[in-house]
Amino acid sequence: MSGPEVILRVENVTKRFGGVVALNDVTLSVGRGEIVGLIGPNGSGKTTLFNCITGVYKPDRGRVFFMGRDITGLQPHEVAKLGIARTWQKVRPFRNLTVLEAVTTGALLRTDSVEEARKTAVEVLELIGLPREEWGRLGSEITLMEHKLVDLARALATGPQLLLLDEIAAGLRPHEQERLAEVIKKVWSDRGLTIVVVEHVMRFVMSLSKRVVVLHEGRVIAEGPPEEVASNPRVIEAYLGIKPV
Ligand SMILES: Nc1ncnc2c1ncn2[C@@H]1O[C@H](COP(=O)(O)OP(=O)(O)OP(=O)(O)O)[C@@H](O)[C@H]1O
Ligand SMILES: [Mg+2]
């Protein structure tokens, strides 16, 4: 890939679960400062790819490079410390913590000082525009949209250079998805981040990404500008049966 510096490089990654080949020789690059969309039907390997990048799983074959460094097989906390943060497809409720406390736990990755971590959390919560009156609420008291914003804030509080978002817009209403896309664009430009967005909602992906990578049955089957990819016959075939936008 020419152009910007490659911040993430996945090379020939294969991951099996018993007889299931979740990722089959996947190679892709992400340039610094890009927002790349990662799409594909259910079970195509998107979350597994995030798990292989963040150290949740070790690939059976292939390597993962972050800023030129081989990070294959590192533990999740080591990967986080190097500057990769993620949100989880399944919302992880934090019932007994407040919003501010939950975001503060993210910031504790970089400091032992709770006071300093809280300061970082406040900055991030201000950046994403979550109203101050929500900060004292418990996880059990907030809406799904607020949970998504807190997940995003918690990831940002770890001080990443690369952010992996796994279906962060899922379950939200269209106007909430639009608001979330605006927040993501804001943090992207404010923090100079690189972002990979996994999402089924094509409108959401298209509003954020200039380049989309398509996975199908663990393989990369297409890559390019969203409009081009959306009209690619292989992609259309892979998507038959997936709900249209
Ligand atoms: N921990 C696991 N154990 C066994 N099989 C797994 C595991 N994780 C993923 N798989 C399988 O690997 C394949 C890819 O799953 P993955 O969750 O990565 O897909 P996905 O593209 O994220 O799908 P979705 O859009 O539904 O989230 C699927 O067949 C899935 O059942
Ligand atoms: Mg998934």
Side-chain angles (χ1 to χ4, degrees):
M1 179 181 155
S2 59
E5 173 206 344
V6 171
I7 189 166
L8 176 73
R9 169 99 180 143
V10 173
E11 235 170 67
N12 307 109
V13 163
T14 293
K15 177 69 193 170
R16 293 189 189 82
F17 297 103
V20 175
V21 187
L23 295 174
N24 195 343
D25 201 25
V26 169
T27 294
L28 57 90
S29 295
V30 176
R32 188 182 281 280
E34 266 195 297
I35 304 183
V36 174
L38 179 63
I39 66 170
N42 291 115
S44 56
K46 305 178 298 294
T47 299
T48 303
L49 183 59
F50 276 8
N51 285 335
C52 284
I53 294 167
T54 54
V56 175
Y57 298 142
K58 187 169 187 288
D60 298 313
R61 276 198 57 226
R63 320 240 37 111
V64 179
F65 298 91
F66 177 58
M67 298 197 291
R69 175 177 173 169
D70 188 344
I71 61 164
T72 322
L74 292 186
Q75 293 301 309
H77 70 273
E78 295 172 312
V79 175
K81 203 119 198 203
L82 288 174
I84 304 182
R86 73 181 293 176
T87 61
W88 299 82
Q89 182 167 355
K90 220 169 156 239
V91 169
R92 300 188 148 189
F94 49 95
R95 296 182 175 288
N96 300 320
L97 294 181
T98 66
V99 164
L100 182 60
E101 284 164 352
V103 180
T104 302
T105 59
L108 283 169
L109 180 75
R110 304 241 172 244
T111 174
D112 292 331
S113 155
V114 174
E115 199 183 329
E116 216 172 283
R118 195 175 291 123
K119 217 174 120 216
T120 302
V122 165
E123 280 167 16
V124 171
L125 283 166
E126 280 173 348
L127 176 65
I128 65 161
L130 200 68
R132 212 166 250 274
E133 52 271 25
E134 307 292 331
W135 297 4
R137 292 245 175 105
L138 294 173
S140 53
E141 298 169 339
I142 63 175
T143 65
L144 181 63
M145 175 66 181
E146 286 159 349
H147 255 295
K148 305 276 185 166
L149 289 170
V150 173
D151 275 356
L152 179 63
R154 191 156 45 166
L156 288 170
T158 67
Q161 305 215 27
L162 174 64
L163 182 60
L164 310 176
L165 303 177
D166 197 350
E167 296 199 28
I168 192 164
L172 297 177
R173 300 191 196 107
H175 72 275
E176 293 172 326
Q177 290 174 348
E178 273 165 36
R179 184 176 154 218
L180 189 57
E182 289 311 312
V183 172
I184 292 168
K185 277 186 223 167
K186 188 172 167 206
V187 299
W188 171 70
S189 61
D190 189 275
R191 295 279 157 116
L193 285 176
T194 306
I195 305 180
V196 182
V197 191
V198 162
E199 202 53 74
H200 282 294
V201 186
M202 270 309 279
R203 200 180 37 229
F204 187 81
V205 175
M206 286 180 162
S207 73
L208 288 170
S209 320
K210 293 197 181 66
R211 188 164 72 92
V212 170
V213 176
V214 189
L215 277 180
H216 179 49
E217 296 176 346
R219 287 180 183 276
V220 175
I221 60 159
E223 191 174 339
E227 310 75 36
E228 200 179 294
V229 157
S231 59
N232 177 321
R234 279 190 81 187
V235 176
I236 293 167
E237 196 187 327
Y239 264 94
L240 282 180
I242 296 293
K243 68 172 186 229
V245 275

